[in-house]
Structures are given as structure tokens and as C-alpha cells.
């Protein structure tokens, strides 16, 4: 039995019951998952691959897991597609991307091996039909020695591939002897590549290695996303050590010099974001909803980690805006709308409860004193979100969410200059995602809270009125429609 056959057999026999997993956030069938890979559209379906070690809840030799979806809400499990089984990738099939071509669904990934006892990383190709993939005989197609002297051969990974007109392009995470950077490559056929230049490099110690680059066009601008590692906290930004950031260029040219990094998420759990362009033109982002230093796994889980809800991207005043994909709305079960609800003492609102919900608060006037929400709450548990205009911060506190380990429990961020007008909350079984001011600021959070904790409580230091649009999500119907491995 080959390594690929072994992995496929194992995940079929050991897959988790979907009823014990989040309803609409992609999770692996079993074992460890990290970075999203190959986020793309092929043959009418959205495909997502991911870094995968099916045999353990901890990181191990990297495979590529695979799931597909018609709406990015119901994710069907597909067989694992890549295993570390060739001389050029025997130590791991690391992250990469995918693109639809006339010849098939083309995957580009990092193959990891050792040369003279030293780990080296190169870029490789595989092609398939949406279910079965084969690695190309000419791998690796992009080698580290193609870059200038002084560039790392060990930290050279996570290629993003795209095509414009007749030209093929690839960006790869890289570093030189001092800092992280993004290397740019070009090809006229997608197979034969040459090094072009460094697209962007870290300044002022902003990351020792830049992982998981992504490049796309949006509203006439060029956007570069990457994940800098080992970044010191800066005021209320970049608190995760390993971060996801965006650089929005001034035009559609591939020029990001002098552009400042924008944080993509202010919460606890967000890394390695990747985007794809849908047939209708929407640019959609998804990320690993976890953290390298404090992964949260509930005691009964046979799987580790989940992805964020896919998010539609737009630009507003030069800032990248994120909103939940609109397809979530097709799974609303019940809707309640309230106008001018008076809030002061901690209180619940009739019918507003649950763990599979999507609701939006609109403030009738800006809050001038502390406003709180407690989510996934009962007499024992609760995750608290606080708006504190006097201090100028928002705070997310999961101290009492059921954690049994010493992990990060409080995250703070600066209130946007114009204040807070809206807060949208999307909750699934083990996650909370907050979209503030229509997606201007996002905070992602994993919680291990028991499903029975379903209260939602509001409070305000001074009397305030809110409008509330509240939707429950039909989790049983989503789970019933999901295809499992067979």
C-alpha cells in the first residue's frame, strides 16, 4: 500500500461524525489540519485543499487533504490528494495553490526534502480531475538555486500561481539572511519558470519569514497578502506573533514599495489566508482559524482546527473589507428583527439565543460608555465582547469559554476612528467571528464551550438603544447534506 493509499484508507475508517463537528466551517475528517491550500474553482465546484496529518492531532508529515463545495457552506469530504512519497517531497507536501487549466486542475505545492542533511524546499506541480491527481515527472519546477545567493533554500515555500493574458506568474514566500520577503517568478507556459525579482521585503524587522503569499486584483488595485512570522506586537496590532496582513497597492501595477501592512484579523485565531476569484467576480478569502502557539482542541475531538467562514473582499478608502459570503443567508432558519431595544443592565432579548447564529447589532447613536455582549453563555461558560469608548478599545475575552490550558484569552484592538456603528456576530459550534463596521475590523475566535451554553446577554454602563437583526442557521440541514468519505 502506498503512502497515499494508506492515508485514504485511514481517513475513511477513522473519520469523525459530522454531527460532532462545526456545521458550516470546514474541518478535517480526522487528525491535524493547518494552512488552506489550492482554494480555487474547478468544474463548477469550489475546491479547498489543506495541510493535513490524518494520523495525529499534532503536526506531522504534511499531506494535502481535500474538500469541495457548491456554496462554500456545505463542504463535502474528498479523498486526500497528495502524500510525501517522492524523493523531492519525502519530508512533506507543504502549502500551495491551484488553478483551472485546459489540461486539468493544476496544483502547485512545496516539496520538502534533504540535501546533504539540510532541509531544502522547492516548488512542484500535480494535475488532476478534481478528485485524483498525479505529480509531474519534471518536478521540482522551481528550485531555490534559481534565486540570488544569500536567499534561503530552507525557507522557500507556499507558491501562489495565476495567469494574466498569456503570462504565468508565481509568488513564493522567502527570506534572505536577515528578513522575510516575497519572490516573484514568471513563465510563458506554466512549466518552465525563471526568477524575476523580490516583489516586497520586510522593513524594520517586520517578520523573519514571509509565508503563504497571495496576489490578486481588486477594484483596480493590486493586493498582496502574506503571513509574516515572528513579529513583535505593535500597540494594538500584530499581537499574534505570526500574522496575516495585506498590502494594497496604489494601482494595478505589481508595486508595493512604501505601502503599509494592514492587519487582516484582530482576534486570536487566524493565519495563512488564501483567496480565490469566483465565476461571478467576487474575491473570497479563507484562513486557518487557529494559532501555532495556542491551538485549541476540545477534549473529545478526534480532529484539530477549522477554517474561517469564507469572506467576500472589497475595498473601502484603501482598506480591505471582509464580509461573510452571502451564501450563508440561504441557510437561515428563523429571523427576528427588533428596533430600538433599550439596553442597560445585563439582559437577554426574547428569542435571541443559540450557537448557530448570524446577527447584527446597529447602534441608534454611538456608544459613549461600556457596552458588552456575552456569547455562548450559561451559569458556567461565556465569551465576552466589550466596547469601551472611554478607553478607545474593544476587547474579546474567552477566559471562561471552557479552556483547560494556559493559552491566550484576551485580545484588545483600537476602536476605529469613526467609532462603532455595527457589530455582526457569526457563531458556529466552536467559533465566534466578529465583523465590525460592515467588515472594517474582524476578530476570529475559537472556543471549546459545551454546545448547551447558548445564551446571549447584552449590557451597557449607561442606557442605550440598539437595532437587532437575528438569524438562526439550519445546522442539522447543512450537516445532513454533507457528503462523507466512503
Amino acid at each position: 500500500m502506498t503512502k497515499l493509499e494508506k492515508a485514504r484508507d485511514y481517513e475513511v475508517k477513522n473519520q469523525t461524525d459530522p454531527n460532532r463537528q462545526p456545521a458550516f466551517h470546514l474541518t478535517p475528517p480526522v487528525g491535524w489540519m493547518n494552512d488552506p491550500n489550492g482554494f480555487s474553482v474547478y468544474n463548477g465546484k469550489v475546491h479547498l485543499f489543506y495541510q493535513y496529518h490524518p494520523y495525529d492531532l499534532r503536526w506531522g508529515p504534511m499531506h494535502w487533504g481535500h474538500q469541495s463545495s457548491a456554496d462554500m457552506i456545505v463542504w463535502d469530504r474528498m479523498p486526500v490528494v497528495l502524500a510525501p512519497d517522492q524523493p523531492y517531497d519525502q519530508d512533506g507536501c507543504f502549502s500551495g495553490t491551484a488553478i483551472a487549466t485546459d489540461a486539468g486542475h493544476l496544483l502547485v505545492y512545496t516539496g520538502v526534502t534533504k540535501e546533504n542533511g539540510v532541509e531544502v524546499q522547492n516548488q512542484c506541480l500535480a494535475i488532476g480531475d478534481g478528485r485524483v491527481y498525479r505529480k509531474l515527472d519534471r518536478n521540482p519546477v522551481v528550485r531555490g538555486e534559481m534565486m540570488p545567493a544569500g536567499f534561503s533554500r530552507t525557507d522557500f515555500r507556499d507558491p501562489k500561481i495565476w495567469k494574466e493574458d498569456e503570462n504565468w506568474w508565481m509568488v513564493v514566500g522567502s527570506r534572505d539572511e536577515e528578513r522575510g520577503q516575497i519572490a516573484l517568478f514568471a513563465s510563458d507556459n506554466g512549466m518552465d519558470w525563471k526568477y524575476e525579482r523580490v516583489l516586497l521585503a520586510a522593513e524594520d524587522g517586520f517578520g523573519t519569514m514571509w509565508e503563504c503569499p497571495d496576489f490578486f486584483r481588486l477594484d483596480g488595485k493590486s493586493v498582496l497578502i502574506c503571513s509574516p512570522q515572528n513579529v513583535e506586537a505593535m500597540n494594538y496590532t500584530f499581537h499574534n506573533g505570526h500574522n496575516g496582513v495585506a498590502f494594497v497597492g496604489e494601482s494595478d501595477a505589481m508595486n508595493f514599495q512604501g505601502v503599509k501592512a494592514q492587519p487582516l484579523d484582530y482576534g486570536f485565531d487566524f493565519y495563512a489566508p488564501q483567496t480565490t476569484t469566483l465565476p461571478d467576480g467576487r474575491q473570497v478569502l479563507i484562513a486557518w482559524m487557529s494559532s501555532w502557539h495556542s491551538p485549541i482542541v476540545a477534549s473529545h475531538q478526534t480532529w484539530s482546527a477549522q477554517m474561517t467562514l469564507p469572506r467576500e473582499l472589497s475595498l473601502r478608502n484603501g482598506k480591505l473589507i471582509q464580509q461573510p459570503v452571502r451564501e450563508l443567508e440561504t441557510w437561515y432558519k428563523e429571523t427576528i428583527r427588533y428596533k430600538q431595544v433599550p439596553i442597560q443592565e445585563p439582559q437577554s432579548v426574547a428569542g435571541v439565543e443559540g450557537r448557530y447564529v448570524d446577527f447584527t447589532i446597529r447602534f441608534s447613536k454611538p456608544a459613549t460608555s461600556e457596552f458588552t455582549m456575552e456569547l455562548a453563555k450559561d451559569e458556567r461558560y461565556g465569551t465576552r465582547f466589550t466596547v469601551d469608548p472611554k478607553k478607545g478599545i474593544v476587547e474579546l475575552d474567552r477566559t471562561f469559554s471552557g479552556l483547560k490550558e494556559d493559552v491566550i484569552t484576551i485580545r484588545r484592538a483600537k476602536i476605529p476612528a469613526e467609532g462603532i456603528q455595527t457589530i455582526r456576530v457569526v457563531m458556529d459550534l466552536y467559533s465566534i467571528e466578529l465583523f465590525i463596521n460592515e467588515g472594517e475590523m474582524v476578530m476570529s475566535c475559537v472556543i471549546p464551550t459545551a454546545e448547551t451554553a447558548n445564551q446571549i446577554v447584552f449590557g451597557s454602563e449607561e442606557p442605550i438603544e440598539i437595532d437587532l437583526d437575528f438569524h438562526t442557521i439550519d445546522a442539522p440541514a447543512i450537516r445532513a447534506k454533507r457528503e462523507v468519505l466512503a
Side-chain angles (χ1 to χ4, degrees), residues 23-282:
F24 53 93
H25 286 74
L26 184 148
T27 52
V30 65
W32 168 274
M33 176 181 75
N34 57 283
D35 305 0
N37 298 159
F39 193 29
S40 56
V41 179
Y42 183 71
N43 279 352
K45 290 286 187 77
V46 176
H47 292 258
L48 187 72
F49 307 84
Y50 44 87
Q51 292 288 273
Y52 185 38
H53 184 227
Y55 308 110
D56 203 317
L57 294 181
R58 295 170 293 183
W59 189 94
M62 285 291 96
H63 299 58
W64 271 36
H66 182 202
Q67 297 189 35
S68 67
S69 178
D71 66 354
M72 298 173 289
I73 303 298
V74 178
W75 289 98
D76 296 330
R77 296 173 181 172
M78 306 283 283
V80 58
V81 298
L82 298 179
D85 56 9
Q86 299 298 319
Y88 51 79
D89 65 14
Q90 60 189 354
D91 292 306
C93 299
F94 279 15
S95 292
T97 51
I99 187 172
T101 73
D102 292 340
H105 198 201
L106 184 68
L107 313 184
V108 54
Y109 71 98
T110 298
V112 184
T113 188
K114 288 184 173 63
E115 294 180 6
N116 301 318
V118 177
E119 181 178 299
V120 296
Q121 300 175 355
N122 296 301
Q123 316 319 316
C124 307
L125 298 175
I127 196 161
D129 60 3
R131 188 176 183 89
V132 178
Y133 294 78
R134 62 174 180 83
K135 299 172 184 178
L136 300 194
D137 293 338
R138 62 192 301 164
N139 283 333
V141 296
V142 177
R143 296 178 178 271
E145 58 261 31
M146 296 167 62
M147 297 187 296
F151 286 24
S152 175
R153 293 289 315 280
T154 298
D155 290 317
F156 176 52
R157 55 184 174 270
D158 312 334
K160 167 65 183 274
I161 190 172
W162 75 98
K163 187 178 181 183
E164 290 184 350
D165 299 323
E166 298 303 314
N167 299 313
W168 292 77
W169 300 93
M170 182 189 298
V171 285
V172 186
S174 174
R175 62 171 296 170
D176 61 15
E177 296 172 349
E178 298 180 352
R179 59 184 181 172
Q181 59 189 17
I182 304 301
L184 177 68
F185 296 81
S187 172
D188 59 8
N189 60 12
M191 297 290 169
D192 300 298
W193 294 86
K194 62 177 182 178
Y195 170 78
E196 291 285 317
R197 61 186 172 95
V198 170
L199 187 60
L200 188 64
E203 295 181 356
D204 301 323
F206 191 69
T208 57
M209 168 62 184
W210 281 10
E211 294 193 309
C212 304
D214 194 293
F215 176 89
F216 55 93
R217 315 285 189 180
L218 186 66
D219 298 341
K221 308 289 188 182
S222 289
V223 182
L224 177 67
I225 285 176
C226 65
S227 297
Q229 293 186 308
N230 304 308
V231 177
E232 292 183 9
M234 302 177 187
N235 296 320
Y236 288 109
T237 57
F238 310 121
H239 278 249
N240 289 9
H242 300 343
N243 297 265
V245 303
F247 299 88
V248 179
E250 294 299 322
S251 68
D252 62 359
M254 286 192 282
N255 179 14
F256 300 95
Q257 303 306 315
V259 177
K260 299 297 183 183
Q262 301 180 13
L264 285 171
D265 198 287
Y266 291 82
F268 306 98
D269 304 295
F270 182 96
Y271 192 67
Q274 190 169 113
T275 75
T276 191
T277 306
L278 300 184
D280 62 11
R282 285 179 289 164

Side-chain angles (χ1 to χ4, degrees), residues 338-396:
Y338 290 100
K339 293 290 186 181
Q340 296 180 323
V341 180
I343 301 293
Q344 187 169 13
E345 297 298 326
Q347 65 192 77
S348 58
V349 177
V352 176
E353 63 179 18
R355 289 288 291 277
Y356 305 93
V357 300
D358 178 2
F359 68 91
T360 299
I361 293 171
R362 293 179 176 83
F363 292 96
S364 300
K365 60 180 181 179
T368 57
S369 60
E370 186 175 279
F371 173 84
T372 62
M373 290 189 298
E374 290 192 82
L375 307 165
K377 177 177 172 57
D378 62 9
E379 65 280 358
R380 180 176 179 180
Y381 301 114
T383 294
R384 185 183 181 94
F385 178 70
T386 302
V387 179
D388 191 336
K390 294 178 181 177
K391 294 181 179 178
I393 61 171
V394 294
E395 178 181 282
L396 186 57

